[in-house]
Every structure is written in structure tokens, then in C-alpha cells.
Amino acid sequence: MKPLTRRDFAVTAASALMTKVVAQPAPVTAEQVVERIKKNVGVPWRDQTVDVFKAGDPETPLTGIATTFMSTLSMLQRAAENRKNFIITHEPTFYNHLDKTDDLRDDPVYQYKTEFIRKHNLVVWRFHDHWHARKPDGIFKGFTKTLGWEKYETAPGTSVFTIPARPLADVAREVQERLKTRSLRVVGDPALVVSKIGRGGHDLASTIRTLADHDAIIAGDVREWDSPVYVRDAVLAGQKKALIVIAHERWEEFGMENCAEWVRSFVPEVPVEYMPSGEPFWNPLV
Amino acid sequence: MITVEQVIERMRGALGAPWNEKDRIAAGSGDTPVSGIVTTYAPTLEVLRKAVAAGRNLIVSREAPYWAHELYGRAYDAPGAELAAKTPTYAIKQQYIEEHKLVVLQFSLGWDARKTNGQVRGLANALGWGRYSQSPAKHDAERYGPGDVYFKLPSTTARKLGLDIAARLKVRGIRVIGAPETPVSKAALAPGLMLVPDVRQILKEPGVDAIIGGEPVEWEAGPYFDDVIASGQRKTLILLGQQASAEPGSGEVAAWLKPLAPEVPVEWVPAGEPFWIVRDKKGAEG
């Protein structure tokens, strides 16, 4: 083989360099990540959904992705510090389910938040309906895992449990400790022995439906004028039932930890990290 | 003997605000002769039993006897009424009401529309805050008009205030948003359901650094307040729970009803907090 001349070497090096430049993929955008999510989620994408972009430019090249329960301002501040400019949030950004902002235009907090998003080139996209629609539900898979109760699920992926029978007070304490929550509240007799534990919802209908075939249910963010009063009446009427109320955030946040892992599997270009928005509440008595 | 309908007529006459047709007899019959009146936050089976034991058959309550109601608008009232009507608890409660010829008058909207806010006054008095009121009116009877919800407190912190309130109201399921050492010197009372516009309105008041509220929706006013703090404002939100925040107002209802129905005894019977919590020390359920 003929020895390389200086010129040959320069050409080869340059083409290698060029090859390298060409081979390096263009930075992935938020829009592309969402396309991959839609392709991978495994459930049909709905026409009517809250899973849409909430803020920022979808074509923004990404430096990193953060998944979270809720894109609160403090969460966004941490994301920006950690160079995660795409936020996948389970819950709304602007304080209502549909993220309507008409009434907020002149609000100083809204203005501060949108300005922060703009200044840091953040993109916020909501991932609620379809993550819940997966089988098993992506959110409650995380809840079950954090509770450490997979082994007690009546069927895998249901987040409905038959646990070893013991007093409600013990179960409540375990839930409080496992979920590291500071705002757990319980309705029912602390001495009641419970085994079948269901997962409720925010509303009275869920409470009634789930309690019908469970001793106790765990529910996040219930409306206090119906579910707790109903369960209390059920107990007063002689039924052996209980309700454990936890913060919405402690109920659903862990499902976004799973989500980060899942997104990472098809977005290798940028770091993907779960960033908890954190429980908003604390109880001075606990 | 006066009947329920006659009591309602007198209430209409004395209200000083238009009667809201959603304030209505929710159980029992209007032509029932009244033997005595009990006011309460929620007509739980326990409250009904206490009323019967004391020989009082008219229960005037904020909440509905069968839990589901639509007083706060559709967004917060997921369907539950139909399911509720099929539960054994419903049947037991209905039978108890019929057997003892009880009448439940659900009364909150008209009460809240009065010139003096009885809910705020009740809570202020229960807290011992009358002397701290910033209300322009000098006499207690004229205080707590619309917007008169501010109290200048001796300087304290979020944690100390939370503990003080928990002790005064004997509330266990208290939840706080904000840093424990945040200074507090001026607080607003906002009993009941707290929505984003309520928080915005209160925070327009100069110098207010804490809100004592009832119940937020955890994807609405809760995160809004979280963002208020993250945007650099040092504020505290103390949530008493719907019942604990609204119950003292039922004492005010009793005081208002007394001169309207001098023929019968009128008594406030608190429904009591539905929740208990798991405290720090092992085995302490309080």
C-alpha cells in the first residue's frame, strides 16, 4: 500500500470529519419525541384529549427531558437548572383541567410562569389520558410499585389488592411511610381489620363503586363534601368500610417515574429524567 | 306548633338576600310540626341520632343528606347521586329519617349571600380572632361584610400558626402549603371550597401573607398557590378541610335561627371532623 501523502491524509481526515458531522443526528425536537410516544404508547390516539402542547415551541431542539406529575413553577425552575427543556407533565400547567388561560392573562403568577417558560426555551406537553389508558395503567403501575404491593395485586396491573388482614391503623401507617406522604387522612375505625384494598377516584361515584367490594379504598384528591361524609355514614350504618385519602400528587407522581424509563427506551439522543414536583402539603401535627 | 314550612317562611323574610331555590327540603316533609331545630355542617347519621335523642326533628345543614349535590357547579360534581341511592347506607339513612319523621333543610347558598358572611364570622370567633379583624364595622353584628376577611395577627410563622389553629379548632387533618418558617402577620379567612379566583382576589389585599381555607382542588387552587410561592412571594396556605372550615358557620346559623323560631329549642350539633391522621409516634392514631 502506497504511503499516504500529506494531501491524501488531509483529504481522508476531512472526509472522516465530514462523515462524522453528517452521521451525527440532528437534535431531536419535542414534536419528534411526541410522535415517538404516540407510536409506542400502544393505545389508539384520541381525537379529544388533554395530551397536547401547553407551552413553548414544539420544534425546539431538546437538551433533555423531564417527566413529572405536575409542571409547577418550582418544578420548571429545577428542570431549567438541570438543562431539561422538555417537560412531560401528567397534570395541567395552568390550574384547570383544560389549561384554559383566558381568565389568567392579567394574572401576575401566570405571567411570571409563561415568561419563565419563554426565557428558558421550555416546552411543556401533557401526558395524561393515554398514559392512564395503557394496560396496565402507566400511572398506577408506579403507585403499586412504590407501595411495594405488586405481590398483593388481585390480578397483575390492577392496583387492587388483597393484603394480609390487619387493622386499618397499621395499613394507613404503612401507606403513609411507603408513599412518604405528609398529608394522609383516614375515615373509618382504626381497629377495623382490612384486607381487600381498592383504588378510588376523585368523585363519589368511584368511592361507592369501589367500596362495594373492598374493605377500604385509597383515593387521592377527593371532594370532601361527598366521599368522606358518605364513608362516615356507611360506618355509622354499621358497614365495615374505610377510606384513606392521600394527596393527588402522592397518588400519581410515581407513575411518571415509570414514564421516564419508558421514554428513555425510544429517545436515546438526550437525557430523560424523572423530576418529582413534590407533595405540596405538610401537616404540622405529623 | 310551627311547621317546617313556617320556619322556612320566617327564614326567607329575615334573610336579607334572595332565597336560593337550591336551598330546599332535601328529606322529609314541609308540613311536619317542628319540635326543635339542629344546625350542623352535614346531617350524618350521628347528627340525626343526636337530634332524635334531644327530641329535635328539623335539621338545617350545609351539606346534603345523601351526599351528592350540585351546589358548586358541574365541574366539581361527578355523578354519584344515582349510585348513592342504591347503597345500603342510603336505605338505612332514609328509613331512619322516615321512622323519626325528621326533616333535613339544606341551607347554604342563601346564607352565604347575606350581607354579613356568617361562615367567616363563625370561623373568626372559633379561632378567637374577633379582636384582630380588619373589618371597618365596629360592631360584631355588622362585621364580615363582603371582602371583610382580613385579620392582623401577632407576628408568627406558618408552623406555629398551623399548630395553634389545629389546637383551637381541634382539627387533625390540617394541611399546609408553604415553608414552615414563613412569617405570618396578616391572614384571610376563606372557609369552604377554594377556587383560583378566590385566591387571586384575596392576594390583591396588600400585606396579606396567609390564607386559612377549607378545601382546594389539587389541580386548581392548590398548584396556583404553589406557583405564587415559587414566583417569589412568601405566603402560606393553611387548609382546614371542608368540614372544619365550615362547621363554625353552622353555629352562626343556630344563633340566627333562635329569635326566628322562639317556640322551639335551636341547637348547633357539630358533625365533627371525618378524618383522623397517623401521627409520628408508633401506635398514635389521633
Side-chain angles (χ1 to χ4, degrees):
Chain A
M1 200 177 149
K2 187 174 86 163
L4 286 176
T5 63
R6 251 180 105 82
R7 190 180 162 277
D8 286 339
F9 178 79
V11 168
T12 312
S15 73
L17 195 67
M18 274 185 69
T19 310
K20 201 180 170 200
V21 167
V22 170
Q24 189 168 50
V28 68
T29 67
E31 200 160 39
Q32 287 167 335
V33 169
V34 170
E35 279 315 307
R36 291 184 206 171
I37 286 176
K38 289 182 181 178
K39 205 184 291 171
N40 284 278
V41 74
V43 294
W45 204 259
R46 304 174 186 181
D47 295 334
Q48 292 286 320
T49 179
V50 295
D51 296 354
V52 296
F53 285 97
K54 302 296 182 182
D57 180 358
E59 286 173 31
T60 305
L62 301 187
T63 54
I65 301 174
T67 67
T68 193
F69 165 74
M70 193 186 282
S71 47
T72 59
L73 179 55
S74 70
M75 185 274 156
L76 296 178
Q77 288 164 339
R78 273 179 286 126
E81 263 170 42
N82 284 281
R83 287 183 47 78
K84 308 285 186 298
N85 65 345
F86 183 34
I87 291 85
I88 299 178
T89 179
H90 183 64
E91 288 295 326
T93 305
F94 299 117
Y95 329 117
N96 64 82
H97 183 55
L98 299 177
D99 279 305
K100 285 185 189 154
T101 58
D102 296 348
D103 296 337
L104 290 168
R105 300 274 175 217
D106 64 343
D107 182 81
V109 178
Y110 168 78
Q111 287 169 353
Y112 189 102
K113 192 171 194 173
T114 48
E115 177 57 20
F116 185 88
I117 290 169
R118 194 196 60 74
K119 213 166 78 191
H120 292 87
N121 263 319
L122 303 182
V123 185
V124 182
W125 182 75
R126 189 167 177 199
F127 192 30
H128 178 273
D129 299 345
H130 297 84
W131 193 234
H132 269 308
R134 266 166 74 92
K135 303 271 185 258
D137 183 313
I139 286 293
F140 290 107
K141 198 175 156 190
F143 168 74
T144 301
K145 190 176 157 200
T146 307
L147 272 177
W149 283 7
E150 287 112 324
K151 55 184 179 287
Y152 300 135
E153 279 189 313
T154 52
T158 54
S159 306
V160 168
F161 315 98
T162 303
I163 62 169
R166 65 216 151 96
L168 175 63
D170 290 0
V171 175
R173 178 175 296 275
E174 181 178 337
V175 170
Q176 176 163 295
E177 284 167 3
R178 298 258 177 159
L179 299 182
K180 293 186 176 58
T181 176
R182 300 174 298 174
S183 67
L184 176 137
R185 299 173 294 169
V186 192
V187 185
D189 177 1
L192 178 72
V193 173
V194 295
S195 168
K196 297 181 80 177
I197 314 289
R199 174 166 55 77
H202 305 305
D203 58 287
L204 179 63
S206 306
T207 298
I208 291 173
R209 212 175 285 127
T210 317
L211 255 191
D213 46 10
H214 294 89
D215 305 323
I217 59 174
I218 304 175
D221 197 357
V222 300
R223 300 289 65 81
E224 291 177 23
W225 59 84
D226 52 31
S227 291
V229 188
Y230 167 77
V231 176
R232 196 179 193 191
D233 268 338
V235 173
L236 287 163
Q239 297 198 44
K240 300 191 181 318
K241 302 288 183 186
L243 167 68
I244 298 175
V245 180
I246 58 176
H248 197 156
E249 186 273 338
R250 290 286 91 182
W251 206 37
E252 296 198 321
E253 177 93 84
F254 309 106
M256 294 311 281
E257 190 171 8
N258 288 353
C259 184
E261 211 173 294
W262 178 71
V263 171
R264 205 175 292 135
S265 70
F266 51 80
V267 184
E269 297 94 330
V270 289
V272 183
E273 198 187 321
Y274 157 61
M275 290 184 119
S277 49
E279 181 174 21
F281 307 115
W282 51 277
N283 183 333
L285 299 172
V286 173
Chain B
M1 239 184 171
I2 51 165
T3 64
V4 172
E5 263 152 14
Q6 285 169 321
V7 172
I8 293 173
E9 270 318 300
R10 294 181 195 175
M11 289 168 74
R12 278 176 188 266
L15 193 62
W19 186 267
N20 191 309
E21 295 306 323
K22 285 182 180 170
D23 287 339
R24 65 189 216 297
I25 295 171
S29 167
D31 56 15
T32 307
V34 177
S35 59
I37 302 175
V38 158
T39 69
T40 189
Y41 160 72
T44 62
L45 263 173
E46 189 180 18
V47 170
L48 300 185
R49 286 168 185 161
K50 283 180 180 171
V52 167
R56 325 223 197 283
N57 65 349
L58 172 58
I59 291 88
V60 179
S61 77
R62 278 187 83 77
E63 303 296 1
Y66 303 112
W67 321 291
H69 65 64
E70 295 181 359
L71 300 188
Y72 301 123
R74 294 297 312 161
Y76 307 104
D77 301 300
E82 282 178 33
L83 265 180
K86 292 178 196 150
T87 60
T89 306
Y90 184 103
I92 289 166
K93 203 167 180 180
Q94 188 182 42
Q95 196 197 341
Y96 190 84
I97 288 170
E98 280 174 12
E99 200 177 294
H100 297 278
K101 296 196 166 42
L102 301 180
V103 181
V104 180
L105 171 64
Q106 197 182 353
F107 177 60
S108 66
L109 296 170
W111 175 250
D112 292 349
R114 296 182 75 229
K115 208 174 128 206
T116 293
N117 187 330
Q119 294 304 107
V120 169
R121 190 163 75 181
L123 185 53
N125 290 340
L127 289 168
W129 284 12
R131 65 203 144 130
Y132 304 136
S133 170
Q134 300 290 285
S135 178
K138 284 206 179 72
H139 302 291
D140 201 44
E142 292 157 4
R143 275 199 205 163
Y144 311 123
D148 290 345
V149 299
Y150 301 102
F151 297 81
K152 191 86 188 72
L153 305 178
S155 291
T156 183
T157 64
R159 175 183 291 282
K160 280 188 199 152
L161 184 60
L163 286 170
D164 180 59
I165 289 174
R168 278 174 191 269
L169 300 180
K170 297 186 173 61
V171 55
R172 297 168 290 200
I174 190 169
R175 299 178 298 166
V176 185
I177 297 182
E181 299 313 316
T182 309
V184 178
S185 62
K186 185 173 178 181
L189 294 184
L193 175 65
M194 173 181 277
L195 300 176
V196 173
D198 304 323
V199 179
R200 291 179 62 189
Q201 185 57 41
I202 287 170
L203 292 183
K204 281 179 187 161
E205 170 82 5
V208 65
D209 44 27
I211 303 178
I212 318 304
E215 163 186 12
V217 177
E218 292 173 35
W219 60 89
E220 297 187 354
Y224 179 81
F225 202 88
D226 218 47
D227 281 3
V228 166
I229 295 170
S231 73
Q233 304 186 53
R234 300 186 77 191
K235 310 276 187 197
T236 302
L237 177 60
I238 297 180
L239 298 159
L240 308 175
Q242 181 77 238
Q243 179 275 333
S245 77
E247 187 85 84
S250 297
E252 295 293 313
V253 175
W256 178 70
L257 282 175
K258 257 176 202 159
L260 295 181
E263 301 93 330
V264 293
V266 180
E267 188 193 5
W268 169 34
V269 177
E273 188 182 14
F275 303 115
W276 49 270
I277 58 171
V278 181
R279 292 182 198 250
D280 251 349
K281 288 189 205 96
K282 192 133 182 81
E285 277 73 42

